[in-house]
Amino acid sequence: MRLFPRLRRLAAHGETAYPSAVHHRALITEYLKLGLRFGRVSPGFVHGYTGASRTLAEVYDEPLPAPAELAAQARHLHRLVRSCELGTTRREFLLGQLAALDCAARVLAGERIPFGARLRLCFQTEAVTGDGNCYERAHAELDRVLPPGGSLAERMADFRRRDRIPRRLVPDCVRALAESLRVETRNRFGLPERETATYRFVEDASFSGLQRCLGNRRSRVSISLAAPHRLGSLPRLLAHETYPGHHTQYCRADFPEQAIALANTPQCVVAEGLAELGLDVLIGRGWGSWARRVLSGICGLPHGELAERVDDAMRKLAGVRRDAALMLHEHGTDPARVRAYLRYWLLLDEDRCEDLFKLLEDPHAGAHSVLYPAGTDLVDSWVTAEGAAGRSRRYLRLLEEPFAPRTLRKGLAGRQLGPRGDS
């Protein structure tokens, strides 16, 4: 099997004949091509591609690769990246991506890799369950803030009903909140000229919101009208998908290896953590009052502050989904126990619990239930490491530069990260 013939020629001639910058560009181009090949074999694996159209055309002119061939290509490119002179941060990013692609190709080829091992290989994340004491404190917090009457689960169900935005008003609420977030993001972080995020409203109940890159700094954000949207969740959803989340990441990404967004890779951990923290970094405390003001001319929802307090408590329960995924896919727990676990901690009725359980039965969705809280905790720790004064600056650095989770952990452990780009 011939692997990357141009890179073999470069390596054979050495740095004297081929400057390191050319060698680095060739490595990154081959990484982009490899990612695009995965998109051909596994639809949905490429979340977005904004690189050269010529590269895309070359890949689609190739014969359809077998998964075993993709695994071999990932390992070969991994060896080349390890020995190149690319800066440490960018090299660690590429090495993490390539190790994940090797694992993904082996799974596509039929190899059975345990759930915990896949988490480590694909996401640089350990399979660790949450703290029951933290969940107990979250329930106690909800007990304090929710209006009295009935059990905690009944009170939560009543709050969810009252907090729900009428379906007919969701499009107007989305546009008003998104535009306000866009203005705040432009003022805080800056946005390139002619960037746009457009919104379409669909009936697909499998997601609440989904961003897709269209090229030329344009994104399409699909919002499901079949999913319930609440005052306490819609602002965070839009901050996650658009400003300053995924759409902004796409617009501000500054390095060629960021031209492709791939599923089931360490890239997802940082991207999802960054997006999930978007509302907290951009608006911060008081976002409930902010949302109420933005929506005041559209729908009269008087309890923005309560919605924020409930959201604060519920976010402490984010690890419950991760725990359930680990119970199902790592520990082989009786499904009845998993259902009971979800229903008790997340205060769900039977129907909502069953919908969530069916979602988590899919190993792919289960893995994402692990990476979301892992990414949120990691990115939050990293952007707040220098206190409030450095939070926006460090968040912006994550918007613009490629970081692997392993690199961020090294920074938190006291190892100083290199300058911007580290190359």
Side-chain angles (χ1 to χ4, degrees):
M1 175 169 44
R2 287 182 79 213
L3 297 174
F4 312 132
R6 185 177 177 223
L7 290 180
R8 289 194 183 279
R9 292 195 299 270
L10 290 171
H13 285 81
E15 292 292 329
T16 301
Y18 291 87
S20 60
V22 175
H23 189 52
H24 298 159
R25 287 197 296 270
L27 285 171
I28 291 166
T29 298
E30 293 300 339
Y31 161 70
L32 297 177
K33 286 184 175 181
L34 179 60
L36 292 170
R37 292 180 188 117
F38 271 85
R40 295 188 65 196
V41 173
S42 179
F45 200 93
V46 176
H47 285 172
Y49 175 71
T50 59
S53 57
R54 177 181 176 181
T55 301
L56 183 66
E58 288 175 356
V59 169
Y60 274 78
D61 281 342
E62 298 172 350
L64 189 68
E69 183 179 359
L70 294 178
Q73 291 177 7
R75 290 192 293 272
H76 176 70
L77 190 52
H78 191 280
R79 289 192 295 272
L80 293 174
V81 170
R82 285 183 62 186
S83 61
C84 80
E85 294 183 0
L86 198 64
T88 302
T89 298
R90 296 175 67 189
R91 185 170 63 247
E92 288 184 344
F93 172 82
L94 286 172
L95 290 174
Q97 293 295 104
L98 292 165
L101 292 178
D102 176 28
C103 177
R106 287 155 52 198
V107 171
L108 288 172
E111 183 176 343
R112 296 180 62 85
I113 300 177
F115 188 72
R118 289 173 63 178
L119 292 176
R120 288 189 291 275
L121 291 168
C122 292
F123 302 114
Q124 297 181 357
T125 296
E126 292 294 329
V128 179
T129 55
D131 181 0
N133 291 329
C134 176
Y135 301 160
E136 290 283 8
R137 289 192 294 271
H139 275 202
E141 189 174 337
L142 287 169
D143 189 46
R144 288 192 298 272
V145 302
L146 286 172
S151 67
L152 186 59
E154 290 169 339
R155 292 156 63 195
M156 189 66 201
D158 182 63
F159 170 79
R160 286 176 173 135
R161 284 191 294 271
R162 291 187 294 111
D163 192 50
R164 185 165 181 173
I165 298 171
R167 174 189 166 101
R168 70 183 187 282
L169 299 179
V170 169
D172 287 342
C173 290
V174 164
R175 295 186 180 99
L177 288 167
E179 180 56 27
S180 184
L181 289 167
R182 181 177 182 269
V183 170
E184 294 286 348
T185 299
R186 185 180 59 215
N187 292 339
R188 178 80 62 86
F189 300 114
L191 289 168
E193 294 183 4
R194 295 184 295 277
E195 63 77 26
T196 56
T198 57
Y199 303 88
R200 68 170 185 169
F201 300 90
V202 299
E203 296 294 338
D204 189 341
S206 65
F207 62 88
S208 296
L210 190 65
Q211 177 262 355
R212 282 288 179 262
C213 303
L214 300 178
N216 298 319
R217 298 188 177 97
R218 296 176 299 117
S219 291
R220 180 181 64 236
V221 181
S222 299
I223 302 293
S224 172
L225 293 176
H229 292 288
R230 299 181 294 103
L231 177 61
S233 60
L234 187 60
R236 189 171 298 281
L237 172 68
L238 292 172
H240 184 115
E241 301 295 342
T242 59
Y243 306 100
H246 291 320
H247 171 67
T248 307
Q249 294 172 39
Y250 153 56
C251 290
R252 293 302 305 258
D254 217 16
F255 291 84
E257 56 268 37
Q258 294 172 290
I260 194 166
L262 299 171
N264 298 329
T265 63
Q267 180 183 38
C268 298
V269 178
V270 178
E272 297 300 343
L274 199 63
E276 194 63 15
L277 288 170
L279 186 66
D280 305 296
V281 172
L282 188 65
I283 306 297
R285 289 289 177 185
W287 65 259
S289 299
W290 164 83
R292 179 167 52 82
R293 291 193 300 272
V294 171
L295 299 178
S296 61
I298 301 172
C299 58
L301 295 172
H303 50 271
E305 295 81 0
L306 175 59
E308 182 177 351
R309 291 196 294 270
V310 172
D311 177 74
D312 286 344
M314 290 303 296
R315 292 185 74 205
K316 296 180 176 68
L317 298 170
V320 171
R321 292 187 179 206
R322 171 199 58 210
D323 298 347
L326 294 175
M327 292 164 73
L328 284 170
H329 301 293
E330 182 74 358
H331 307 309
T333 305
D334 182 349
R337 287 187 57 196
V338 179
R339 288 184 174 92
Y341 187 87
L342 288 168
R343 188 169 184 182
Y344 175 76
W345 286 119
L346 296 181
L347 304 168
L348 300 174
D349 60 35
E350 188 172 347
D351 290 341
R352 286 169 60 90
C353 178
E354 188 61 25
D355 289 343
L356 178 56
F357 177 84
K358 288 179 179 177
L359 177 68
L360 294 176
E361 278 188 307
D362 175 12
H364 178 74
H368 276 259
S369 295
V370 175
L371 78 87
Y372 267 77
T376 302
D377 291 346
L378 176 61
V379 172
D380 186 40
S381 296
W382 196 82
V383 299
T384 58
E386 296 178 356
R391 197 180 194 194
S392 291
R393 175 177 55 79
R394 290 170 74 90
Y395 189 91
L396 178 59
R397 188 171 181 189
L398 292 183
L399 284 175
E400 294 181 333
E401 298 183 51
F403 281 95
R406 183 174 290 125
T407 306
L408 297 184
R409 293 191 190 99
K410 288 179 180 178
L412 291 171
R415 177 176 168 181
Q416 186 174 0
L417 299 181
R420 186 180 185 278
D422 191 26
S423 60

